[in-house]
Structure formats: structure tokens, C-alpha cells
Amino acid sequence: MSRALKTADDLRRRATYLAEVVDQLYPGAAQGDAPRPYIVVPNRRKPRVLIPASDRKVAAAALTRYARPAARGARLKRDAAVWALRLGLDRMLLPHRIKVGGAEGIDDHLASVLGHEVHLSIHIGPARANRKPVLQILDGEAKTVAFAKLGVNPLTRELVEAEANATRRLSEFCDLKLLRVPQLLHSGNWNGHNLMVASALPSWDAPADLGPSRRTAAMRELADACGTVRSPLGESDYAARLRTRLKDLAERGETDADTLQTAGETLLDRYAGTELTFGAWHGDWSPWNTRETETLVYLWDLERFETGVPYGFDAVHYRLQDHIVTQGADPTTAVLGLVADAPAVLAPMGIAPTEAEPIALLYLVDLAARYMGDQAERAGAALGALGRWLLPTLLRHIARQRTASETGGQS
């Protein structure tokens, strides 16, 4: 996450979440329970991940393979911590420890499910509406074998269930050649929460620098995976679903929901006769959810997977997220740039220039509806306050379109 996107109370929220997630994973700790020691990385003030403290080999592997930081400086710090663990100097560089207990911790359950010894590292992410316990699972040989997610509230339970279904569908029933998605290893319930376990993909490997063509080919493969249909926007199931979502948000009284509904209805009416192709999309295809290699494109975190959406949504989403999060662009500027560059962004997906702008604008409405439906602003998400960046930009563009149409000019 770029510095510009961090919430003002990010550190407080992370520290609070550390205690919250420990209670969720190790409930009912009692006197005399065998403690599980964890190292807090980098420290208690700004926790990012918990790694096992009882075995330095496992801890080093957990930290190496949990994820690959995008920034070079962050990778150097991570690598220094890994070497400190391997050399037995971790008490100097990583002094913060916690001990957790519980007669029936999540690691005991996962060991039973998988049928072998497990060690866990636990991600402590930034404030987001969909934040949930995410666990890296290592075996006794310090090999990362799986990742687990736990749904702990209505939204995250819905997302974990959706990801389990999407993972099963894509890995078992779709003939993917360039793409590789995780295999679903387990889907069930634990301690009142729904749990999914999926095989590990090499998210920690350095990506191959092959340019955007391989990623585009993979996006097209996913968009085609469940079949496509071409129809006027106004006659599509997608338009009907989006109208219902916008109406529901307005009836719930969400902040700015009326404004978003007006923008969405305007676009759906304006482009009702425009023919579009509808297919599948990942829902959050971004640099941190994929790894491109010489032969394959690995893709994970399928909780937002959906079918029957305008072809090309993944391409515009990747562009926007890469600009805002990876490159640190101002969100308003990034939205304007996305709409202006939509024909170039979507051309590699085989989309005609006349279809590019409506797809980009519909994507922005769809994304805003997601954030609003998730109550992302209330959860403290950095981009949750739609009224500060997305909605004003979207409304200005729609207004310019209307003015240009009335005067016979170009939007």
C-alpha cells in the first residue's frame, strides 16, 4: 500500500486487529494451555505478520514465502530479517514476541483436516471491509503447502464461500492452459466460522518481465472460461443486476448512494443500445494477486470472481489499481487517466474503441457499488470514502458527456 493511501490511524487499527485475530484463531485460552509463541514482524507497533517462534527454519521459510513485497526497500528489510532468523540473531532484529494458547486452536484443526503437522504464519493486513484471518500453512519440513481463510462476519463469510466456489469451479471444471489457480483442499466450518483451504501458488517468486501481452492473454482466457455472450447493454443480465444493486444501496441509505444510483442509471440508459461482450472476471486482478512466469500466469484470491460482466473489466481494474497502489498516483488523476486511456487499455482485449468508454465507466460504477456495499469507508479502507475521489470524477465526466452530446461535440 502506498504511503498516500494509508489511513491516518492505520497503526492503531493494525495493533487492534492483532489482538482481534489472535482471539479468533485461539479462542478460549485457559490457564495451563500449551502456549504457541509467535514473532511479531516487524514489531508490535506496526504488525504485518506473525511467524512461528518455536522453529527458526520454519519462521525463516514463512517470512520468505508469505508474499513478495513490491518495493525493493521492503524486500531488503524482509531478507535481512530472514537472515537474522537463519543465523540465530532474530532476538536483536525481531525482539517482539507473543504467546497464544487455546485448547482447540486453528492449527490443531488444520492439522486434522490436512493430515499432517502444520505451522502457521498470520497476516495482519491494513484496514479493509473484507479483512479476515489469512494463514500461510507450512508443514514439518518448512514447505509452504497451503493458504487458509476464515470468514468471521457476514461479509467475509460470504466472500470465503464465494472464493471456495470459484476456486473449485475454475480449478476442476475449466480448461485453463495459460492460467493456474489454486486447488481447493478443504471447505467447511470451524468454531462458528466458515473456512477454506487452498493449495499454495508461488506468490513469493520474482515475476518474469515479459511485458503485458502474457497478462492480457491470461485475462482473455479467464474472461472466456465460462462462456461469453454478446448483446445490447440494456438487454443484459448485467444491467439488470447493476440496477438492483444500486437501488438496494439507495434504499439502505448508504452515504452518497443516491448520487451513485443517478450516475449508474444515467450510464445504463445512455449506453442501453451499445452492444457489448459479457464474460467472467477475477474481480481484483492486481499486481499483488498474480505472478507471471516464463510459462504460466498464477492467479489467486478469487473471492470477487463473477460471470456475466462486461468483457475487459479485469484490464481496467488492473490499470487503476496499479496506478493508485503500486505507482502511488493520486486517485482522482488515476480515474481520469483510466477513462481517457480506455481505448488503448482495452484494445489488447479485442475491444472496439466505441465500446471502451462505456466499459470503463460501468467498471467505475461497479467498483463504487462494491465499496459502498461493503461499507468500506466505515471499515477504514483507504479508498472507502468515494465522495472524495471516485464519485466527483465520475459525475464530472458524465456531465461533460451530456453537454457534448447536446452541443454535438466530443466528450
Side-chain angles (χ1 to χ4, degrees):
M1 183 171 61
S2 70
R3 184 176 302 176
L5 289 180
K6 291 181 180 177
T7 54
D9 58 350
D10 182 61
L11 295 181
R12 180 188 63 78
R13 286 179 180 271
R14 281 181 185 270
T16 300
Y17 185 61
L18 171 60
E20 179 183 324
V21 76
V22 165
D23 287 343
Q24 290 167 341
L25 299 177
Y26 296 97
Q31 189 72 25
D33 286 344
R36 281 98 156 168
Y38 281 96
I39 302 171
V40 186
V41 181
N43 53 54
R44 282 180 177 271
R45 182 171 176 270
K46 46 183 177 182
R48 304 285 178 175
V49 62
L50 303 181
I51 57 175
S54 56
D55 186 320
R56 287 193 173 98
K57 178 182 177 182
V58 172
L63 194 55
T64 301
R65 297 174 186 166
Y66 192 86
R68 176 179 168 81
R72 183 173 181 271
R75 289 198 300 273
L76 290 174
K77 291 179 181 178
R78 189 274 313 270
D79 292 345
V82 169
W83 276 108
L85 286 162
R86 290 173 176 167
L87 296 172
L89 303 174
D90 48 289
R91 282 284 181 181
M92 296 173 56
L93 193 61
L94 301 169
H96 292 193
R97 305 292 203 269
I98 62 171
K99 290 184 177 181
V100 302
E104 297 180 1
I106 185 65
D107 43 4
D108 297 317
H109 181 72
L110 290 171
S112 175
V113 164
L114 296 175
H116 59 71
E117 176 186 3
V118 303
H119 302 273
L120 304 181
S121 67
I122 304 165
H123 181 52
I124 308 298
R128 295 181 302 171
N130 62 333
R131 182 164 62 176
K132 67 188 80 63
V134 178
L135 316 172
Q136 179 190 190
I137 304 173
L138 300 95
D139 64 13
E141 301 300 317
K143 179 183 177 182
T144 300
V145 294
F147 284 86
K149 293 184 179 181
L150 206 62
V152 295
N153 57 39
L155 174 61
T156 58
R157 281 193 285 271
E158 178 182 330
L159 292 174
V160 168
E161 182 179 359
E163 181 164 6
N165 291 336
T167 301
R168 181 185 294 109
R169 180 178 186 179
L170 288 171
S171 64
E172 297 180 11
F173 302 110
C174 294
D175 185 21
L176 301 175
K177 294 180 172 58
L178 178 57
L179 271 174
R180 287 294 182 273
V181 299
Q183 297 284 324
L184 184 66
L185 303 179
H186 173 75
S187 178
N189 291 277
W190 174 77
N191 199 39
H193 309 307
N194 57 335
L195 169 71
M196 69 160 286
V197 184
S199 61
L201 297 180
S203 61
W204 49 84
D205 287 348
D209 186 10
L210 302 174
S213 59
R214 179 176 294 273
R215 179 172 64 249
T216 300
M219 286 180 176
R220 296 188 70 166
E221 182 175 71
L222 184 67
D224 292 331
C226 301
T228 61
V229 64
R230 189 165 178 84
S231 75
L233 173 62
E235 299 175 15
S236 67
D237 290 339
Y238 174 77
R241 296 199 311 270
L242 184 57
R243 287 185 191 275
T244 298
R245 289 171 64 196
L246 296 174
K247 180 182 178 183
D248 289 346
L249 290 170
E251 290 178 347
R252 275 168 42 181
E254 296 292 341
T255 303
D256 294 322
D258 290 340
T259 301
L260 179 60
Q261 184 181 24
T262 298
E265 295 280 0
T266 299
L267 290 174
L268 290 169
D269 291 343
R270 178 174 298 161
Y271 294 113
T274 301
E275 283 212 347
L276 300 176
T277 301
F278 298 87
W281 77 312
H282 174 273
D284 191 16
W285 196 317
S286 48
W288 48 91
N289 284 336
T290 186
R291 185 67 67 238
E292 300 165 28
T293 71
E294 293 288 343
T295 56
L296 294 170
V297 175
Y298 295 96
L299 186 66
W300 54 89
D301 280 0
L302 296 162
E303 64 187 26
R304 302 288 188 174
F305 176 80
E306 188 180 1
T307 59
V309 306
Y311 204 97
F313 264 20
D314 274 325
V316 289
H317 182 82
Y318 187 97
R319 157 66 183 259
L320 185 66
Q321 299 300 313
D322 186 42
H323 274 204
I324 295 176
V325 180
T326 307
Q327 301 179 32
D330 170 71
T332 298
T333 302
V335 169
L336 290 171
L338 173 65
V339 177
D341 297 342
V345 172
L346 290 169
M349 296 288 292
I351 294 169
T354 54
E355 300 171 22
E357 184 174 83
I359 290 171
L361 293 173
L362 287 168
Y363 157 73
L364 292 172
V365 171
D366 198 292
L367 183 67
R370 174 192 299 180
Y371 285 170
M372 191 174 291
D374 292 353
Q375 299 182 328
E377 182 176 11
R378 191 175 306 173
L383 294 178
L386 301 174
R388 299 177 188 171
W389 66 286
L390 201 160
L391 287 178
T393 310
L394 186 61
L395 291 173
R396 284 198 300 271
H397 191 85
I398 292 173
R400 283 200 299 270
Q401 277 189 326
R402 182 170 58 247
T403 300
S405 176
E406 291 171 352
T407 59
Q410 298 295 316
S411 60

